[in-house]
Amino acid sequence: MSSDAVKKRKPKVIRNETGTPETKRGRAEGDQDVRVYNEEVELEARDPQQDYMLYKDTCAALAKLMAEIQELKAGGAKVGSVEIEERRTQCSVHFITLKKLNRLAHMRLKKGRDQTHEAKQRVDVLHLQLQNLLYEVMHLQKEIGKCLEFRSQHEEIELVSEEEFFQEAPAEISRPHVTRDDQHQLTLARLDWELEQRKRLAEQYKMSLARKEKIQKAIEQKREYLSSLQPGLQNIMQASLPVQEYLAIPFEHMQKQAEVSRHLPPPLYVLLVQAGAYGQACDKNLSVSISGDVDEAKALSRPPEDSQDDESDSDAEEEQQNTKRRRATVGVQLDDKRKEMLRRHPLSLCVDLKCKDGSVLHLFFYYLMNLNILTVKTKVSTTTDLSGAVSAGSLLNSESLLNCLYASDHGKETPNPANRYQFDKVGITTFADYVSDLGHPYVWVQKLGGLQFSSDFVALTMQWVCSVPEHSIIPVSSECQHLFPAKVVSGLMRWTMMSYQEFTELGFVQHVLKAGLVRETDLFFMAVVERGTARLLAAVVMNPRYPEVAPLFSFSLHWKEERSGRTDDNLRAMESEVNVFRSELQGPRPGLQLLTNQIQRLCVCLDVYLETESQVCDGSEGPKEFPREKMCLRTARGPSRLKPFKYNHPQGFFSHR
């Protein structure tokens, strides 16, 4: 090759896509005529949108050339013709362009991925830094919380007030010029002053203990001296008994009685104190004494022992075996229960009243422990024989001597209302059968012992209330029989108690709630009265002050359709009969039969309602479900067609109000 050809040759272009700058620089230094082509540098200067448009144009041109080649071949042109070769050359150029665009697209993708990866790494680094900062913040917050929640031991010490501290503490401890402006220094100074005070109090405590020991030693010495005097004093007391009797100063008797009185039950002790005080202050002829088994009384007040010896265990086992072999009959068990219930306290009081003629009235007071009542028995000691005087002997009969000391106080029945239910458990009909043995439980005797019993209206009322659902009958007393007809067909099927929440959920009682007639402290019951297919629900509100406050009834009738006092005038009239005209149903005082009479009136009104109602509504013939058994002057009256619910006695018919 000639030198001219070498000079005319174009400089060589080296494509370098992945070469390093050092390699490029080395090549450039070794061959000054070589130009380095770097597509990465070209990529930065190219617009992706223009490359995309170039790609579309190239594809379109390529498709056009292919179509022209196809047409030429179809027109009979040979494969090696000039037209086909030119178009093939142009297609090759377009393919090269497409390959370049493809490389550029891959380079852009790689560059985008690298940039995305770098951005993610930066985000990860920032996120890690954020997590570290949040952890540090959380740690600092915990430390701050611990510091704020820290409770020093000095906070549990009750320090003197600041004013008292500055007044009493010396200047070297209080340092007012520093502590008045610095709360921390003030607390330290107050603690120092508290320490000084406690040291001083500790010294005083030691001195007090020393004085206490000295006083205790002196007391022990005096106690020994006094105990040595006891035998001598007892000898002196024994020697002075004749003098006490002569001067009527029973000092020893009073001392023994005071010792025994500690074992009396509270009612007898109250009676002892009151009678003794009255005898000393007002009546010298009255004397009080205590009699009975003191040891047995001490055993009653002694707490039961937890441990038992082997002998007692064996006795108990033997007794249990004997019980298993032969069981006591029901009668024997009831007798034992009655004896236990009527058991008297081992100690009793005897009050002697001396009369001017020398006669003495002995009053023996007993306390029945299980019944919690006092009884009294009398005995008259006369100076003359009264067996021949019939009138005097009958007047001084111990069984009737104190009867009706107060009006209607016969002393035959116990005044404690709780005893009635205790008697029912053991089969005691009346307390009068045991008065001759136990004494008379007069009301004034209970008051002397400090026992007060009121009439148990609540218990009696609840007994009546509970008897209704228990027997499904309505007990009507003989005094109230005239308020109702002889035959009442409707009956009480159920009587249940419900809560205030259940009561408020009933739809037919909302008017009562809105009127404010119900409180949460009241008692709530649901009564179900039925006759045939008719079913009447009655919501009953009972005030704890019953019978002073009458029960309140609200009705809902389920028969053919549901009706209530808000939708049916006759049901409203039935509510009036039970609630408004309750004075007719009060009965004898104190009116404990009001509830049962209201329920009975409800059953009577339901009979009238059903018997006077049209039975065949669809025009069909047949027997009526509720035959008319009540005599009514008029079955209905007025535009509201009210029914006759008022019962007239003794005629026995029903009329309107």
Side-chain angles (χ1 to χ4, degrees), residues 40-55:
E40 294 181 356
V41 177
E42 182 185 0
L43 180 65
E44 296 177 356
R46 295 178 69 95
D47 186 8
Q49 188 66 27
Q50 293 180 359
D51 289 347
Y52 174 69
M53 298 304 297
L54 177 60
Y55 168 75

Side-chain angles (χ1 to χ4, degrees), residues 321-586:
Q321 291 177 359
N322 294 334
T323 305
K324 290 182 179 179
R325 293 170 188 167
R326 180 180 57 85
R327 297 209 172 183
T329 60
V330 177
V332 175
Q333 292 178 355
L334 285 178
D335 290 339
D336 295 340
K337 290 181 179 179
R338 293 191 192 103
K339 291 179 181 179
E340 179 63 24
M341 182 172 293
L342 301 175
R343 183 183 175 188
R344 296 190 301 197
H345 194 273
L347 298 180
S348 61
L349 291 183
C350 178
V351 179
D352 296 334
L353 296 173
K354 296 181 181 179
C355 302
K356 294 181 180 180
D357 60 352
S359 301
V360 181
L361 174 62
H362 305 280
L363 300 178
F364 302 96
F365 294 91
Y366 305 98
Y367 177 66
L368 305 185
M369 297 181 291
N370 294 321
L371 300 182
N372 191 27
I373 58 174
L374 289 174
T375 60
V376 62
K377 299 181 71 173
T378 60
K379 180 181 178 182
V380 180
S381 300
T382 59
T383 56
T384 59
D385 187 12
L386 299 178
S387 59
V390 179
S391 60
S394 60
L395 289 175
L396 297 179
N397 184 11
S398 59
E399 294 294 329
S400 60
L401 179 62
L402 300 178
N403 285 356
C404 294
L405 188 62
Y406 289 90
S408 303
D409 191 5
H410 298 276
K412 296 295 183 181
E413 295 295 337
T414 170
N416 189 353
N419 297 155
R420 306 171 194 170
Y421 311 105
Q422 293 176 298
F423 292 162
D424 292 340
K425 294 180 180 179
V426 296
I428 296 178
T429 306
T430 176
F431 188 76
D433 300 337
Y434 303 90
V435 166
S436 59
D437 297 331
L438 301 177
H440 294 266
Y442 296 110
V443 177
W444 57 268
V445 175
Q446 318 306 320
K447 294 182 179 180
L448 288 179
L451 297 175
Q452 297 289 339
F453 304 109
S454 59
S455 300
D456 193 5
F457 292 131
V458 176
L460 185 58
T461 302
M462 294 310 296
Q463 183 181 7
W464 279 64
V465 171
C466 294
S467 66
V468 174
E470 184 175 334
H471 304 289
S472 296
I473 59 175
I474 305 173
V476 179
S477 62
S478 57
E479 296 88 350
C480 302
Q481 289 289 347
H482 66 281
L483 299 175
F484 313 103
K487 183 178 181 181
V488 180
V489 183
S490 299
L492 180 65
M493 295 294 105
R494 191 174 62 189
W495 176 269
T496 56
M497 191 172 186
M498 58 182 173
S499 63
Y500 174 75
Q501 183 65 28
E502 294 174 343
F503 180 83
T504 56
E505 294 175 357
L506 298 176
F508 59 93
V509 300
Q510 298 304 316
H511 63 289
V512 178
L513 296 172
K514 293 179 181 179
L517 301 178
V518 179
R519 298 182 180 178
E520 294 187 14
T521 56
D522 295 337
L523 302 176
F524 304 95
F525 298 90
M526 177 62 74
V528 179
V529 180
E530 294 183 0
R531 180 181 176 181
T533 59
R535 186 166 177 262
L536 180 66
L537 303 181
V540 185
V541 181
M542 285 192 63
N543 192 284
R545 295 178 57 204
Y546 174 86
E548 295 181 11
V549 179
L552 182 63
F553 285 72
S554 300
F555 300 150
S556 175
L557 179 61
H558 295 263
W559 180 57
K560 297 183 179 178
E561 61 181 358
E562 184 177 355
R563 317 173 192 181
S564 66
R566 303 303 94 191
T567 59
D568 193 318
D569 293 335
N570 285 292
L571 284 179
R572 188 182 301 110
M574 290 172 60
E575 292 179 353
S576 300
E577 286 291 328
V578 177
N579 296 325
V580 178
F581 303 103
R582 59 179 180 271
S583 58
E584 302 175 1
L585 307 173
Q586 197 75 24

